[in-house]
Structures are given as structure tokens and as C-alpha cells.
Amino acid sequence: MLFPAPKNSDPTGANRVVVTGAGIVTALGIGWQKNAEGFRAGRNAFRPVTLFDVSRQRSKIAAEVDLPAELPTTKLSPNSICRLNRASKMLLIAAHEAWTQAGWNAVENLPVVIGTTSGEMAFGENYLQQAVRFPYSKKAQPTRVVHYQAQQQGLDLCNAFDFSGPVTIVSNACASGANAIGHAFETLRGGHAEKILTGGYDSLCQLTFAGFDSLQALSPTPCRPFDAQRDGLTLGEGAAILTLETLEHARKRNAEVLGEITGYGATTDTHHLTQPHPEGKAAFTAMTSACACAKISPEQIHYVNAHGTATPHNDATESVAINRWATDYAKNLPVSSTKSCSGHLLGAAGAVEAVACLMALRGQWLPPQTSLHKIDPACNFEIVRQPVDKKIGTALSNSFGFGGANASLIFRRWP
Amino acid sequence: MNDSTELKEQIKQMLVENLMLKINAGEIADDQALFGPGSLGLDSVDALQLVVALDKNYGLKISDTEVARKTMQTVNSIAAAIESR
Amino acid sequence: MVRPGWKKPLHVRPVPEPVSRPVFFDHPRLRRANLIAQFTVAAALEALGKNVSLVQGGRIRLGIIVGVMAGGVNYSRRFYEEVLQNPRTASPIIFPETVFNAPASHLAAFLGSEMISYTLVGDDGTFLQGVAIAAQWLTDGKVDACLVIGAEETDWIVADAMKLFRRKTIHGAGAGAILLKKDSGSGAIAELTVITDSFPFTQSQSRFETARRMRAHLPSCAPNELLCCGEQDAAENAAWKDWAGARLAPKAILGEAFVAFAAWQCVAACESIRQSEFTAANISVVGVNQQAVGARFLACADAS
């Protein structure tokens, strides 16, 4: 039953929640290894857009993924495999990596909680073009309708690994991935489930690219988060999936643990649909309540993976919020935005950046931003600009989005 | 109605349609401030939309944000920019 | 509704124009908002009733959950059509409103509510998933009250797509909302006692199987109990063939409005309990393409 809560649930939320599998796909590469190398070196994966025509757009670059020729073998039927488009394939690849690493077996009632902003938008675009150009042609339209919808991508995962469970799609703009992981974390902490497949995905599409360009939010050059002369974000695409379970469940099957999630805070900024309030109250409250949830103070956070989109508004507000939240500890708090490497993955950003934190904690290094020229004087904190090894125990990741969705997650190194 | 008055009427109609204003065109005064405190209450998204609308309807291309702010202060300033194009 | 390239129009069930201009229309955030956002705010304010001032005064920590399937499809379609003509002049005023969470965002801004808010995307069963999350937040003490809203707007492209699967379906628009609190204080209309598991439609589990398993999570038919269900759905009808009691299936009147329809089922159930026509109501949702999920509401007096 989804309600009332199961017998052994515990409203005080005492269950510890651990990560036993992680899968990731970005323009840096396919899989944990390639992405860890990319994030650690601060490699930027931007290139001219090839997926659709950008000749009349201000910006021409993005962090595009090179999809492999073959998908990993799963239980998906052959004809459903040939109906998958970009977003579904990236999601499937990331889920396969996490599922294999976790060593889960197919069970009933295994929840899926994933974030996206556009689902398989490319199919929506194709559907419209054909419906207008050839009003009576039904060719391939049914497949586009079914596989455009985000819930179908969730069901694809159930079919791929032959399990079943509630599929929940969270669409809170650029915070979707973080909200999805946060909701999975709270559901496990409260004993409403024992294990959850969670994460986020989004693929580049013309509608979203043209949308951000119409708002003059895209930079013509690779984005430079927290730079004094920053002039916009760079879009990217990809997916990241985590297999989360309660510590008790992981211990019972003595699974290898990659890291622990200890805190989550989520708020809403009601200032404007696309711009945060300059004082950053919602971001400040999200970070503060994530710390309260993890029962730690800002000084115990060793690295912050900022939302850091490199738009004038976001980075200014996030700086104010971090300065206020970290107080005088800010000056020795290392911060960086990995969007300088992977681009802004919208619905997948929160999930990819969660994996980046797990990589940093596991490898004991800080992901740098090599694209920064001159740091914005508003930042009282230190931006990680060169690859560096560092003993770190906890990391906080911020994700904010259109509509004022603000989310912060805290990760702890394991053991 | 001489040309410039007619142009201002068209501009007001363009403002109402493009910016989905909940008032009718006649209620906008020629010299009323469009942005900033005590004005029509437009914001930066409206400004971007106005730049696109001026390009589409009058071929007036504004690429620089400073020029845009000066040009789009009031219906009068918009009309002047169109006439001097 | 006109369908480009067709002589015959598409039949839809739109929301009629309001008789008098709603007070919330003048809020600056709603000036550029699409219809689905306006429906969302209207339904939410009605569900909140006198609690609106308590929320705006910061005396109630309000969670907001909005469920959609097609979502803000009107602006998305219009924006993409403009992009196809010329990306350079595609309307920046429309694009931000296309995000799925725009309706929830405008509602939060109208109420000045800065608490947690999720927008969920999925088929009609998504509404009950939202109610389950609201119940979890209330049980864990995360919020004092939670609004759950289902909303959809009509567009020719959605009606066109539906025709590919069910020729006779008529696409509906609108929103429904319910306000949930933890204990049945004064003014409680009905008590939520059950939300079944969500049984997804997968390769290994058909609609018939999931509908049957969902039905099994709800009690057998008892006198003066109501069943709020869909219509002409073979799987759902098979699952509920044992139900001899009253049924309410307003899809023929209100149209196929996905998550909004599931919200209306709950509103109708609670309203019939409030007017003590029935002492309990079961909600049956066998969704369009994702899941079978059900719920049960009881009259407050009987629940204790």
C-alpha cells in the first residue's frame, strides 16, 4: 500500500540511506570511469551542436553525448529497443551500470523515482512537424506519442531489468534530478521502502535549446560559472542513476557501499518564474535544512558542488546564499560548478552532480573549473580552479530551477 | 489621425498582444514609463519579447541591451526609434 | 477545436469562460500564465477555502503537489511552431511558462508559500501518487497541510494523438484539488484511509492483471458505498464486476482529462461523503498508459 505507511516505517526517519550502485552518461563519456577522469581533470566537453540546426541561434555549442553503437543487453524486447530515442538510451545505459554494480535482482514493488524536464522531447517535435506537414499521415506517430511521455521511460527501466514497482516522474525544471533523489532518500529514511532506483535524465532538443537562446541565457562560448564576466550557460545532455537502499538492507546482502546520503532540503523561491530572489533566501534555506537533516553544520561540509549555471543571476544569488550560509567559514570552503565540464543537463543535472560528489568523496579529490578567468568579487569562497587531491568527508550539492525549485543534497564518504 | 498617432496606437496594440497585458491599448499613455517602479510593471522577459516584436513587426533590430533600455522607455520613445529607422 | 490541415474540427471539452472575472487574475505572476496554470490556481484556492489567509500569513506550512500528463502543451506547441519558422523570433515570453512546474510555481507565488513543492508527470494515476506523497509529508511532519492538484489543458495536438488510440475519446480540460491535513479537525470532509500499491503496466503484467490486483487492495462491496471509476475500460470493468453498489463515471460528461479527471474522482467522492449520500467511496484509476492505482475515503465520523 502507498498509504498507510508500512508497519516498520518510522516518521522520525532514522533509517540510514546508502548508495550501492551508480551509472552516468554525459558528454565526458559513458560510465563512472570516464566521467571521474573528466571531472577530476576539469575537462570541458563542449562542441558545435550537430543534433539540430543552430545556424540562426546566438549560441552554437553544447555538451553532446556520443551514444555507443550498441545498447547494453537487457530484457527489453527487440522491437521496443528500436523505439528508443536519445533520452531513453542514455537513461537505460546509466541504469544498466548502476543495476549491475548494485547486483539487485528483479523483484516486485521496487520504486523508480526519476527527474526530467522534457522526457523524449525529440519525439514530440517530430510528431508536431509531421502532423502539420502531412495532416493525414499516421506513420510512426503512435510510437512517438507513447515514447515521448516520461512515464514510458520509467516503464522501460522496469521492462529492461524485469522488475515492477511504482514509477514516479518528478519534473521541477533544473532541480528535477535532485528532487527525485531527495524524495527517494526521504522515502527510504521514513521506512516507506527498502530500495529505490533514482536519478535524472534529459537529452538536448531544439525546443529547449531555442528556448534558452530566446531568453539570451546561452553563452556563445563555453560557460564560466562564477566568473566576473560570465555571460550565460551552456546546455548539455545525459543521465545519472543511483541505486539507493537502507543501510540495513545493504548490510543484509553485504553489498559494497559507494557513499551515503545524509541530508536533503527543498524549498520554493517565489520571486520570479526564471530569476531567483537576489538575497537567495530559498537557496539559503535549502542548504540550512539539508544540514539540519544531516545533523551537521556548514563547517563540516568539505566541498560544495554549486548549481553554478554561469548566468549572471544564478551565480550572483548562489554566492550570496553560500556566503550567508557558510558565514566566515566560507573563505576556506572549496566550491566548484561541474557544469563547466558537462554543461547544464537540466533534469539530469542534480543526478549527474550527485554522482560527481560521490566520485570526489570516493577518490578524495576536488573537481576543478578550468574555464574561470577572473572570479566574481561577490564570492567570499574559494573556487577550485586546478585539479587537486583533498581528504574530504562530506559534500553538498545545490540544484535550483525555473519556477523557483531549490534543492540541496548532502553526501558522506563511506565508511 | 496623423501618422505618428496611428503608429503609437499600433505600438500600444502590439504591447497588449505581445505582452498579454490585462488592460486595453487605450489605457496606456504615450509617455507612461513601461519599466521600473510606478510603471506598467514590465520586466526583463517582457523586454526580450518587445525586442522580438519590434523586429518582427517593424524590422527594428536592437541587439545592445543599453540601446534597448533607452528605446523602450515609453510608447513615445519606441515610436521615435521606429520613425528614425 | 480546429485541427490544422483538417476540414472537420476535433471535439474537445474545454473549460467555459468564467462568468465573473476571478480575483486572482490580476496577480502579476498570472499575466503570462497559460490556461493550465490558471485552472491550477482556481482549483487550489477553492480547496484551500479560508485557509488561504493562514497560508499567506505564514501560519500554515503548506506543501504543494501538482500532477499533470500533457501539462502546458499549448505554449510548448506554439513555441516550437515559432522555432520552426525562425528561432531568432521565437517568443521568449512563452518559453519559461512551458516548464511542467510553472503552474505549481505560480500557485506558490500567489500564496507566498516557500515550502517544498513537486510537480509529477505521468498518466491519470499520478494524482493518487501525489496524494500518497502528501500523506508521507504529513505523516513525517514535513508540512502542516498539503494541496494535491491534477490539471490539464486541451490542445489540438493532444486530441489528435488521442485519436490514434481511442477514436471516440473527447479530450477534456480543467483541474481538481484536495487539501489534506493530518488529523480530522473541524471542517474535515472525509478521511483518506487507503491508497493501494501502484501497479505499473509492464511486459510481465497486463492492464487486466494490474486492475485486478489494485481492486484486491480495496474492500468488497458494502451498502451505501460509492465507486468512482473510469468508463468503457475492459480491464477496469473486469476488475470491478463484483461491485453491485453505486458507481460514478463522469468521463462521458467531463471528457478525458487524465490527471485532472482522477482529481475530479476524488473531489466527487469526498463531496458525496460530505453530503452523507454515502459513508465511503472507492476510487479506481486504471490509467491510460502507466499504472493501476486506487484509493478509499471514509466519512470522518465512521473513521474514528
Side-chain angles (χ1 to χ4, degrees):
Chain A
M1 299 287 191
L2 291 180
F3 178 81
K7 292 288 163 303
N8 53 18
S9 77
D10 153 24
T12 59
N15 286 330
R16 293 176 65 182
V17 177
V18 291
V19 183
T20 54
I24 180 167
V25 172
T26 73
L28 292 169
I30 309 278
W32 176 287
Q33 196 52 39
K34 284 232 182 65
N35 277 277
E37 280 155 19
F39 283 130
R40 185 169 195 177
R43 183 158 55 86
N44 115 24
F46 305 120
R47 68 179 191 211
V49 174
T50 61
L51 292 170
F52 40 78
D53 169 30
V54 291
S55 55
R56 287 184 292 184
Q57 306 276 190
R58 288 172 199 78
S59 171
K60 320 271 188 209
I61 58 168
E64 265 183 13
V65 167
D66 290 322
L67 284 173
E70 287 301 317
L71 286 175
T73 47
T74 64
K75 300 221 168 44
L76 275 178
S77 62
N79 55 27
S80 55
I81 286 175
C82 68
R83 291 200 190 104
L84 299 181
N85 205 331
R86 273 191 96 66
S88 316
K89 288 175 182 169
M90 293 188 287
L91 177 63
L92 190 67
I93 295 166
H96 181 267
E97 183 180 15
W99 183 274
T100 314
Q101 187 169 23
W104 282 356
N105 37 45
V107 286
E108 291 244 318
N109 222 354
L110 198 169
V112 176
V113 183
I114 42 183
T116 184
T117 61
S118 347
E120 198 65 86
M121 179 58 81
F123 273 151
E125 293 171 352
N126 300 347
Y127 185 96
L128 177 70
Q129 288 181 50
Q130 178 167 315
V132 171
R133 234 184 264 139
F134 311 105
Y136 290 98
S137 158
K138 293 194 172 69
K139 195 162 108 28
Q141 294 287 62
T143 296
R144 293 186 180 118
V145 173
V146 170
H147 286 273
Y148 155 70
Q149 295 174 69
Q151 62 265 32
Q152 184 57 48
Q153 279 101 60
L155 295 172
D156 290 340
L157 297 186
C158 295
N159 292 329
F161 306 104
D162 200 18
F163 68 91
S164 82
V167 168
T168 306
I169 307 289
V170 178
S171 191
N172 264 9
C174 310
S176 305
N179 284 132
I181 293 173
H183 178 59
F185 163 70
E186 285 184 333
T187 303
L188 291 166
R189 251 168 72 108
H192 299 278
E194 272 186 338
K195 55 178 191 269
I196 296 181
L197 191 73
T198 184
Y201 68 100
D202 258 326
S203 77
L204 280 166
C205 58
Q206 187 176 19
L207 190 154
T208 311
F209 192 95
F212 279 97
D213 202 37
S214 74
L215 290 171
Q216 299 186 10
L218 297 183
S219 169
T221 58
C223 64
R224 286 172 277 114
F226 298 108
D227 191 292
Q229 271 82 40
R230 61 186 182 275
D231 59 359
L233 60 93
T234 308
L235 286 173
E237 61 178 348
I241 288 286
L242 301 177
T243 52
L244 299 188
E245 49 194 287
T246 59
L247 177 57
E248 190 196 343
H249 185 270
R251 283 205 166 116
K252 247 188 298 180
R253 63 185 198 90
N254 60 56
E256 192 205 346
V257 171
L258 301 180
E260 181 179 7
I261 300 184
T262 55
Y264 169 55
T267 56
T268 303
D269 185 329
T270 59
H271 174 65
H272 186 274
L273 187 59
T274 58
Q275 287 149 24
H277 188 287
E279 285 157 25
K281 183 178 160 219
F284 169 79
T285 310
M287 291 188 281
T288 305
S289 55
C291 281
C293 173
K295 297 190 179 60
I296 55 174
S297 63
E299 294 74 23
Q300 293 165 289
I301 299 281
H302 306 131
Y303 163 63
V304 169
N305 185 291
H307 185 54
T309 55
T311 61
H313 285 297
N314 177 80
D315 294 8
T317 294
E318 190 166 12
S319 303
V320 167
I322 293 177
N323 295 341
R324 184 174 157 217
W325 163 72
T327 61
D328 40 28
Y329 168 66
K331 57 184 177 314
N332 37 44
L333 169 65
V335 175
S336 73
S337 167
T338 43
K339 290 185 174 63
S340 56
C341 308
S342 62
H344 190 346
L345 275 71
L346 305 178
V352 161
E353 286 148 28
V355 175
C357 288
L358 290 168
M359 289 168 170
L361 288 164
R362 212 165 148 74
Q364 296 289 269
W365 41 264
L366 297 178
Q369 277 182 228
T370 50
S371 58
L372 187 69
H373 301 325
K374 187 171 151 317
I375 185 170
D376 186 324
C379 304
N380 297 350
F381 40 84
E382 167 214 334
I383 296 283
V384 181
R385 302 175 69 164
Q386 293 309 327
V388 60
D389 292 341
K390 186 101 185 286
K391 290 252 168 301
I392 55 173
T394 56
L396 178 141
S397 177
N398 281 333
S399 291
F400 313 135
F402 276 11
N406 278 244
S408 298
L409 287 164
I410 296 178
F411 304 91
R412 204 179 66 78
R413 176 176 156 79
W414 187 267
Chain B
M1 217 209 283
N2 63 35
D3 288 354
S4 120
T5 320
E6 199 188 319
L7 173 60
K8 286 177 190 167
E9 287 314 314
Q10 284 170 4
I11 290 169
K12 290 174 189 175
Q13 198 49 40
M14 180 192 73
L15 287 176
V16 170
E17 274 157 26
N18 269 272
L19 309 180
M20 308 182 199
L21 300 181
K22 297 282 197 275
I23 52 174
N24 38 48
E27 292 173 62
I28 306 172
D30 291 355
D31 57 1
Q32 178 176 7
L34 301 178
F35 296 86
S39 72
L40 212 51
L42 304 184
D43 66 7
S44 59
V45 176
D46 295 309
L48 289 168
Q49 183 67 26
L50 206 41
V51 166
V52 165
L54 289 172
D55 180 2
K56 242 196 265 194
N57 296 313
Y58 300 100
L60 182 65
K61 299 229 184 296
I62 306 176
S63 55
D64 171 286
T65 42
E66 246 337 282
V67 170
R69 193 168 293 105
K70 265 213 311 311
T71 313
M72 300 193 298
Q73 279 177 345
T74 65
V75 170
N76 283 337
S77 63
I78 295 174
I82 292 172
E83 278 158 350
S84 63
R85 185 173 34 85
Chain C
M1 177 177 281
V2 170
R3 198 287 191 194
W6 287 13
K7 279 183 281 313
K8 267 177 43 211
L10 285 162
H11 293 296
V12 288
R13 170 70 76 199
V15 174
E17 283 294 323
V19 173
S20 61
R21 190 181 154 72
V23 67
F24 63 82
F25 258 32
D26 298 330
H27 191 281
R29 278 289 287 270
L30 288 170
R31 167 165 55 94
R32 300 178 285 224
N34 46 26
L35 282 178
I36 191 172
Q38 294 167 33
F39 299 154
T40 297
V41 173
L45 293 184
E46 188 181 2
L48 273 171
K50 58 179 179 9
N51 292 291
V52 172
S53 51
L54 295 174
V55 174
Q56 287 173 327
R59 289 202 300 289
I60 289 184
R61 296 174 310 151
L62 179 73
I64 293 174
I65 296 173
V66 177
V68 298
M69 180 155 138
V73 62
N74 224 254
Y75 278 12
S76 308
R77 181 197 33 85
R78 270 172 57 187
F79 185 76
Y80 191 60
E81 282 173 342
E82 290 183 6
V83 169
L84 291 175
Q85 269 155 27
N86 179 3
R88 252 320 218 250
T89 55
S91 302
I93 201 168
I94 289 179
F95 175 67
E97 302 282 345
T98 63
V99 294
F100 278 116
N101 59 316
S105 174
H106 293 313
L107 175 60
F110 183 91
L111 294 171
S113 167
E114 296 174 341
M115 292 294 295
I116 192 165
S117 166
Y118 286 165
T119 293
L120 306 178
V121 173
D123 77 354
D124 15 0
T126 302
F127 185 76
L128 290 181
Q129 288 185 302
V131 175
I133 294 175
Q136 181 181 320
W137 287 352
L138 290 164
T139 313
D140 296 351
K142 210 174 160 64
V143 293
D144 303 324
C146 192
L147 267 174
V148 188
I149 301 129
E152 299 293 348
E153 61 184 21
T154 48
D155 189 272
W156 69 261
I157 196 160
V158 179
D160 186 71
M162 284 166 66
K163 273 226 167 310
L164 297 171
F165 296 88
R166 280 186 179 169
R167 231 172 32 74
K168 290 204 303 305
T169 331
I170 295 187
H171 181 26
I178 58 175
L179 178 67
L180 292 136
K181 284 184 179 169
K182 202 166 167 184
D183 31 45
S184 58
S186 70
I189 300 169
E191 180 179 5
L192 171 70
T193 54
V194 171
I195 299 179
T196 71
D197 279 339
S198 154
F199 298 95
F201 309 148
T202 62
Q203 274 166 197
S204 54
Q205 213 177 190
S206 71
R207 282 172 67 88
F208 279 82
E209 175 65 8
T210 57
R212 195 188 54 70
R213 293 182 69 185
M214 173 267 287
R215 193 271 171 274
H217 272 190
L218 292 169
S220 51
C221 184
N224 60 47
E225 288 199 0
L226 173 67
L227 172 62
C228 293
C229 54
E231 210 185 21
Q232 295 144 2
D233 183 304
E236 186 171 33
N237 293 344
W240 287 96
K241 61 181 180 312
D242 69 299
W243 185 267
R247 290 183 189 225
L248 180 65
K251 199 163 273 188
I253 305 155
L254 300 175
E256 173 56 272
F258 311 127
V259 189
F261 182 78
W264 297 335
Q265 285 178 274
C266 293
V267 169
C270 295
E271 196 49 32
S272 68
I273 289 173
R274 178 205 333 232
Q275 292 170 13
S276 50
E277 290 165 39
F278 299 97
T279 54
N282 290 331
I283 312 288
S284 162
V285 182
V286 182
V288 173
N289 53 24
Q290 180 184 347
Q291 64 195 314
V293 56
R296 182 172 170 81
F297 289 92
L298 281 186
C300 284
D302 297 0
S304 50

